[in-house]
Amino acid sequence: MTAALPPLDDALLARRLLSEAGGAYARIHRVESVGSTNELLTRALAAEAPAQPDPHSDAQPNSQSATQPQRQVPTAWPHLSVLTSEEQTGGRGRLGRAWSSPKGASLSTSIVLRPQLEVEHLGWLSMLAGRALVDTLRHDFGLDTADQRAVLKWPNDVQVTQAEGPERKISGILASAVTGRPAAPGAVVLGVGINVLLTPEQLPIENSTSVLIELRRRAAGRLDPGLAAGGQGPGGQESESQEPGALRTELLCCFLERFANLLGPVEAAARRAPETVSEVLVTMVSRVLSTLGQQVRVELPDGSAERGVAQRLTSQGALQVEVTARRATAEQGWQPCMPELKAFSAGDVTHLRADRAGAQRPPVD
């Protein structure tokens, strides 16, 4: 029988993250098992909705932000509250995909956000979390070399590049809005699932990976006896052989700290110069977005697909692609078309393979 993995360190989470200890977070709550952290929080926030201010009352909300007034309403889950579970049995990602893992092997975490941002910018929050996790994996855990670099795939998958073959997914991120009053969400629930201690046989999907697997690959690639034997990694972090609960706790702390440190400047820009917020977000996310410059295939909800080179992010966070071919259904062949810049705000994006020199290989469809 496999030994139970140790839980997250509640005391360390509190010391690192809670506002009364100098951190940014209002609440950190850990549970043993849950169907979905996002669903639990969404239900809890929806149950509070009747207590929200009546939009038809004489009290006028502050017009500075569509979500700012919600912070002042008593709630069990204020801005920057965190729910994390040792086990998630019924999580869902984009397009209804399941997300689950053995108890204690992953991080299944959701954050309640009531940011001082206009509604039009809330769609960026999942990509901002992706940037925070990429920074964590690169700078705190050393996954930042030519053959092993943490990257963000549009819109909300964090992957790690491989010496051979395609990038492998290490995390999925999903945001859900909870309505607090007409036409404006009262909060955003941001769910983050991270494969941490999964072994190759436990990986949930093809072309996925885990922090444990990547740290072992990093140690082997560096031929560093200290790392391979469990010595210190970059920035004083221990390698994958450290106590498993400590590895998960450190990863969660680093990620949450980096996310709060990214969100703060965005909110400051919204207060100081609202017209610059989109530019700030585009710059933050584009720096780690591996999709840009790649030949991609975009599968659309109606079954059609388009392909071309991903060019940039729009001010709304959509992916702008120079489309050069399209097909009506998966059964039909690709039809070339005149190059056309098109922005996609939804769709399943696949990176088409490139050779080591960067030239695109013919896509296999």
Side-chain angles (χ1 to χ4, degrees):
M1 179 180 294
T2 302
L5 293 168
L8 294 165
D9 186 333
D10 293 325
L12 181 57
L13 289 173
R15 289 197 303 271
R16 290 275 296 270
L17 299 172
L18 288 180
S19 55
E20 59 256 34
Y25 288 82
R27 180 183 181 188
I28 309 291
H29 183 62
R30 181 179 63 85
V31 297
E32 288 298 317
S33 183
V34 70
S36 163
T37 55
N38 262 29
E39 289 181 6
L40 189 155
L41 282 178
T42 298
R43 290 196 303 269
L45 294 173
E48 294 180 347
Q52 304 294 324
D54 183 348
H56 302 295
S57 70
D58 293 335
Q60 295 298 314
N62 187 332
S63 61
Q64 181 185 27
S65 165
T67 57
Q68 186 178 6
Q70 303 301 319
R71 285 189 176 187
Q72 302 171 8
V73 177
T75 173
W77 298 97
H79 179 59
L80 288 174
S81 292
V82 176
L83 172 67
T84 189
S85 180
E86 297 295 336
E87 178 184 43
Q88 181 167 262
T89 59
R92 289 288 181 268
R94 291 183 66 246
L95 306 178
R97 294 177 179 133
W99 185 279
S100 62
S101 68
K103 188 172 184 177
S106 294
L107 287 170
S108 300
T109 303
S110 293
I111 313 169
V112 175
L113 299 170
R114 306 174 191 268
Q116 298 180 47
L117 297 174
E118 297 298 336
V119 173
E120 65 200 66
H121 295 128
L122 298 182
W124 282 92
L125 291 172
S126 60
M127 286 189 282
L128 197 66
R131 163 69 193 268
L133 182 54
V134 167
D135 287 351
T136 298
L137 294 172
R138 288 184 182 183
H139 304 309
D140 301 315
F141 290 85
L143 302 185
D144 192 21
T145 64
D147 291 334
Q148 191 188 31
R149 178 169 288 123
V151 295
L152 177 64
K153 172 179 172 286
W154 187 89
N156 52 10
D157 284 348
V158 174
Q159 302 179 324
V160 180
T161 61
Q162 307 292 307
E164 300 290 340
E167 302 93 339
R168 291 181 178 269
K169 180 176 176 178
I170 204 167
S171 171
I173 303 169
L174 184 68
S176 304
V178 181
T179 302
R181 53 190 170 85
V188 173
V189 177
L190 183 67
V192 183
I194 309 171
N195 296 334
V196 184
L197 301 175
L198 296 176
T199 58
E201 59 273 13
Q202 294 173 321
L203 293 173
I205 60 173
E206 187 179 0
N207 286 335
S208 59
T209 188
S210 72
V211 176
L212 177 68
I213 291 169
E214 295 302 325
L215 288 178
R216 286 176 173 170
R217 183 162 72 93
R218 174 182 175 275
R222 287 165 57 101
L223 298 178
D224 186 329
L227 279 172
Q232 296 293 314
Q237 303 299 332
E238 291 186 358
S239 75
E240 81 287 344
S241 62
Q242 73 181 96
E243 194 272 318
L247 177 61
R248 292 171 62 238
T249 302
E250 182 66 21
L251 177 62
L252 183 58
C253 286
C254 290
F255 162 67
L256 289 173
E257 288 167 343
R258 287 187 177 277
F259 176 70
N261 288 338
L262 287 173
L263 181 60
V266 176
E267 291 186 293
R271 294 190 298 269
R272 183 180 63 252
E275 70 281 359
T276 68
V277 173
S278 293
E279 181 181 353
V280 169
L281 287 163
V282 168
T283 300
M284 280 186 171
V285 172
S286 296
R287 286 176 179 168
V288 299
L289 193 65
S290 64
T291 306
L292 299 182
Q294 293 228 33
Q295 182 84 10
V296 298
R297 180 176 69 247
V298 185
E299 303 281 353
L300 299 171
D302 65 0
S304 65
E306 309 204 19
R307 76 182 185 207
V309 177
Q311 301 288 335
R312 59 183 291 271
L313 292 175
T314 70
S315 60
Q316 292 77 37
L319 183 67
Q320 189 176 75
V321 178
E322 185 178 50
V323 175
T324 55
R326 52 176 54 99
R327 68 185 182 195
T329 67
E331 292 74 29
Q332 296 185 7
W334 289 97
Q335 299 298 318
C337 63
M338 292 295 293
E340 172 191 1
L341 282 176
K342 189 169 180 179
F344 298 92
S345 58
D348 197 18
V349 170
T350 299
H351 294 177
L352 303 179
R353 293 178 299 170
D355 62 26
R356 298 288 291 181
Q360 298 295 332
R361 298 177 183 172
V364 178
D365 290 310

